[in-house]
Amino acid sequence: MKVVDTCRTEKIALGQTFHFLPERDLGQTVVGVVGDAFSSTTMISAHLLSLYQIPQISYGASSDALSDRERFPYFFRTILPDKIQVRALMDVISHYGWSYVSLFYVDDTYGINAAKHIKALADERNICLAVNMKVLWSLNNKKGYETIADIIIKNRAARVVILFLTLPYPIRILETLQQKGEIGYFQFIASESWGYEPSEFMGVENVGLGTICFFMYTVPIPEFAEYFKSLSFEKEQNITLFRKYWEVIKGCSLSKEAGAKECETNGTVGETKDTEDVSLILDSVYVFVQAIHNLREENCPHAKGAELRNCVSGLKLTRYLQTGVFQGASANFKFDIYGNGTGKYAVRRFVKLENGEYQVRSVGHWDGNTESLVVDDDLVQWPGNLTEAPPSVCSQPCPARHYKVQLELPCCWECRPCRENEYLLQDGTNCLLCPEFYWPENGNSTDSLKISPRYLKIVDAFAVVLVLLATIGVVQSLVILYFSAKRRNHQLIKACSRELSFIMLLGILLSCVLIYNTVAVPTNITCYIRHFGYHVSLTIIYAPLLLRTNRIYRIFENGKKTKKQPLLVTAKSQIFISCCLIAVQMIISVIWASVRSPEAVLVMPILTEQYVELTCKLETTTFFSSLGYNVLLVFACTYYTFKTRRLPDNFNESRFIGFCVYTTCFMWIAFIPAYYTANSTIYKTVFLSMTLVFNSAVCTLCLFVPKLYALYFIKSKPPANNVAVVPLQNPMSRVDRSLIATSGSTSIGTVNSLSTAPPVAKH
């Protein structure tokens, strides 16, 4: 057996490989080579050994390029290739839910191939690379490292940084980040080429704390450990490599250099951690031994010496290596068709112990046979003293009722809110406008539900007040109607146009009853009644009132000129004309209702508010045409009231009529703008109902209450049968009193006397 050192240099590796070739063999025949530990040097030796059909088993070279059987048909390794390491690395990233990471890789086949596999797996798993940067071999200046550090800091949302590098690049990057004050923020992931020992992190412990490292899974070999620590310098001093190792572990010099500590040559190696990974090397040796044994047993069981050497050829041995199942230091394993071994990756972390010391501690493993990750999170120590994995995502999940606006990278997006009346699509990529009268469902922003409509309900405060006022109005109207009907033949009742007064009372009663309709659930029927009843009830009030004021005006105007009775002042003619005026309103209402029928509709005043009203749809044209007719009647009443303002002081009914119509005009002037500027149909309904209430109250108080008061609480003089009124110089003396009143009482609203002359006896 011959042992050589490649010094991790390709040129030296090439020169040392010549020692194993037949032409350079010094009396020994080489049937297999174990090593090297590094991919770059192993590729040099593998090329050369393949020319001579010498099988080679590496215990550390992980480059994917070595899996190429055309280039390296005689190469094997007891470890997993880099692409499997990449899979383990990406499984760790997926395990902690990281979806946004930075990648820095070395500029050689080791780093380039790893970066290619990382990119492919990242795309499969929806993991984004914030940075995908190659670090050149020639990087050896501070400015270059500062550039890398600035890139890492600029993309600080990617807290996880993969350093698929070889020493010293990763340590120099950590040093630069430490100088910039970035301590305890970034989570680093090391490739299996660095991070073996705590000493590698010397000076950058605070930045590198929590670094995740990957190594081939090894098992301790107690027998070898005992053997190795018992080695003494006295017995092994002739071995060059042992002499160098002795200097390293003892921190001294055997060459007696100036200023160097002189080595003591007594004692043994003692306790050391250098035997922890020896199982990988032993596996390579065991495999060769078992393969040669199997070849000998099957082809030349009794051969020895030169005969055995001739029996064991490189080509035969390669076939046995490729197909055999071997007992390793930890478990059985075999090579795949690419010469790769099966095994596990140890997942380790750089941690700080309670005693203040640092350690690269195992926290789990990744099994290459089952491709499964096992991690003990209780042993994990996170940077910055975090108690859980730090987030490393480009964009946080969008809150409720927010949709994603995809950016360039698939895991990066902006969250924009849906409008109030929009619901979120199932995939969260957009918001759609809810159909009219619908609103996003509470707690589930991906659907919309129909909005419960609002309308004036009987339990609402406004409705309670309106019903109370309507009830008072109905009772009041019935009481007045009762007492007026009871004393219908009294001169005072007859003097106030009895028949027209009863019609007006009917209109007042209808207005009050109609209020009950306004607090009912809007339907097509109730809407029609509301539309028809509102206008007709007002017409029933003001059409007779117009005739009363017109009759008074014509009687007094006619009395100035003649004793003849004016036309159409009798009760029948007045009732007929009232009915005609009321019929006009009915015709107008029916025609408009036929053209644009009132109906119950849903109204959403503001599309961005969760508010829907169920209301009666009243067309503006329809409403104003019917209302305009009533306004015309009121204005006509106002005109005649104004014309009769100068009647004798003791005829004061026109003043009450004037107060009634003036108040009505003022009320409607206030009502119409308020009705059409109200932002809620409920308020419009309330305004509409209040006009009926106020209108009924004003008419009742001005036109009927004074008469009932005079009728029951003011004593009138009994009529004198032998007394007559003698007209003198009064300009009104020619008015036919029978057309107005026959009572000589002093009641309100009647003619007490149309003359200033005293009464004289009739002979």
Side-chain angles (χ1 to χ4, degrees), residues 516-532:
Y516 295 109
N517 176 270
T518 61
V519 297
V521 179
T523 63
N524 291 345
I525 296 175
T526 58
C527 289
Y528 193 92
I529 294 173
R530 188 178 303 180
H531 163 75
F532 189 81

Side-chain angles (χ1 to χ4, degrees), residues 298-366:
E298 292 185 9
N299 294 276
C300 47
H302 304 293
K304 294 181 181 180
E307 182 183 359
L308 178 59
R309 175 63 189 89
N310 294 330
C311 180
V312 179
S313 66
L315 185 60
K316 287 182 181 179
L317 184 57
T318 299
R319 286 200 297 267
Y320 277 88
L321 289 171
Q322 186 70 65
T323 59
V325 177
F326 308 100
Q327 175 64 47
S330 59
N332 292 338
F333 75 97
K334 62 178 296 184
F335 297 109
D336 63 15
I337 59 174
Y338 303 105
N340 301 318
T342 58
K344 301 177 182 178
Y345 273 109
V347 181
R348 300 180 184 178
R349 299 194 73 126
F350 177 60
V351 298
K352 186 176 183 180
L353 303 179
E354 293 181 357
N355 60 9
E357 295 183 357
Y358 293 94
Q359 184 183 64
V360 179
R361 182 172 61 185
S362 179
V363 295
H365 67 271
W366 187 89

Side-chain angles (χ1 to χ4, degrees), residues 89-157:
L89 183 150
M90 296 303 289
D91 280 354
V92 169
I93 291 175
S94 299
H95 174 74
Y96 291 113
W98 295 323
S99 61
Y100 193 53
V101 300
S102 295
L103 169 64
F104 295 87
Y105 59 95
V106 67
D107 182 21
D108 61 7
T109 55
Y110 172 70
I112 294 173
N113 289 334
K116 180 178 66 175
H117 292 306
I118 289 174
K119 182 67 170 63
L121 284 176
D123 292 341
E124 287 180 12
R125 304 184 185 193
N126 292 323
I127 297 173
C128 298
L129 298 180
V131 181
N132 186 5
M133 182 175 178
K134 181 191 300 182
V135 177
L136 300 177
W137 273 104
S138 59
L139 179 64
N140 60 1
N141 58 81
K142 183 177 179 181
K143 185 176 180 180
Y145 286 111
E146 286 184 346
T147 301
I148 294 175
D150 290 338
I151 292 174
I152 293 174
I153 295 171
K154 181 181 178 181
N155 296 274
R156 63 188 306 107

Side-chain angles (χ1 to χ4, degrees), residues 436-437 601-606 611-615 617 681:
E436 193 176 12
F437 314 128
V601 296
L602 293 173
V603 176
M604 199 169 183
I606 302 176
Y611 184 76
V612 172
E613 295 176 329
L614 178 61
T615 185
K617 182 180 180 181
T681 57

